Amino acid sequence: MKRWLRRFAFTLLGFMVAAALYVAVACALMLWPANARAPSAPTAEVEAWVLSNGVHTDLVFPIHSAAIDWRQLFPFAHFKAVPPDAEFIAIGWGDREFYLNTPTWGDLTASRAFGAMLGGNRALLHVTYLRRAQLRHGAYDLPLSRAQYAQLVDYVQASLPSGRAVPIAGAHYSNDDAFYEAEGGYHLFETCNTWTGRGLRGAGVTVSRWTPFDFNVVWHLQPAAP
């Protein structure tokens, strides 16, 4: 029994040290951001945001612009009922099982959370059409040039298998959202927020070099005016 307890204690200690190191590295890299010297556009050419719920981040873009009409890639027919006054689209990446089985935080279980961290599941894109009023909380300004926006558009399209949006039949949280097949798989070092951060880094936005948490993504951004 003493030997078993000793092994358990060392295992628990190792887990705690690994978790602390994981968080410490994530925090330290915020102080050494990518694109730190990137020139900021004096006036944003595209109205965009990063939307955070405190855990997960989405990229938010206008539904239609010169770069793309998202309704062509994610048609309204894939959604139950898009609000007629929707102006923006929120796009996020995440674990398939977590996305489909955790519509609210009340549905979260320890096994599902650990299953996502350990990996092995395919990813999905979660797409939501938004009204402007839905950006009052948790939104961070993302001033983009047209060239930066074009890079992010390409990034989202590259996250779809063969660039095609294949919806998951019957998978919705509400009337204004839908899920799509996506490239890649979720695990401890490849989270919903690393997907967002990679897109921002590729577009030349100042952001942490590694973004496993939502605060890594938004640290160098300004909260949107209410």
Side-chain angles (χ1 to χ4, degrees), residues 74-98:
F74 304 114
F76 286 177
H78 294 169
F79 299 75
K80 289 183 178 180
V82 175
D85 57 344
E87 297 181 57
F88 306 101
I89 187 170
I91 305 171
W93 181 97
D95 178 80
R96 174 185 294 264
E97 294 302 316
F98 194 98

Side-chain angles (χ1 to χ4, degrees), residues 1 12 16 21 42 94 103-104 131 140 164 171 173 178 194 197-198 201 206 212 214:
M1 178 63 71
L12 181 61
M16 293 174 63
L21 181 62
T104 68
R131 300 180 176 95
Y140 292 79
R164 295 176 56 249
Y173 288 162
T194 61
R198 185 181 299 108
R201 284 194 301 276
T206 300
D214 75 303

Side-chain angles (χ1 to χ4, degrees), residues 73-194:
L73 186 60
F74 304 114
F76 286 177
H78 294 169
F79 299 75
K80 289 183 178 180
V82 175
D85 57 344
E87 297 181 57
F88 306 101
I89 187 170
I91 305 171
W93 181 97
D95 178 80
R96 174 185 294 264
E97 294 302 316
F98 194 98
Y99 257 152
L100 296 182
N101 297 299
T102 315
T104 68
W105 291 119
D107 299 303
L108 178 62
T109 64
S111 62
R112 194 163 292 146
F114 277 108
M117 288 190 295
L118 293 175
N121 296 326
R122 295 286 299 170
L124 296 178
L125 279 188
H126 183 220
V127 176
T128 310
Y129 281 101
L130 300 177
R131 300 180 176 95
R132 184 176 292 271
Q134 291 173 272
L135 297 171
R136 290 177 180 167
H137 304 289
Y140 292 79
D141 287 323
L142 185 58
L144 298 174
S145 67
R146 291 187 180 90
Q148 287 176 310
Y149 182 46
Q151 287 179 294
L152 283 170
V153 169
D154 290 343
Y155 178 70
V156 171
Q157 292 178 316
S159 298
L160 297 167
S162 302
R164 295 176 56 249
V166 179
I168 307 301
H172 308 275
Y173 288 162
S174 58
N175 290 336
D176 56 5
D177 77 317
F179 290 91
Y180 294 86
E181 299 286 356
E183 296 285 0
Y186 189 105
H187 53 76
L188 187 61
F189 298 97
E190 186 68 29
T191 71
C192 54
N193 299 306
T194 61

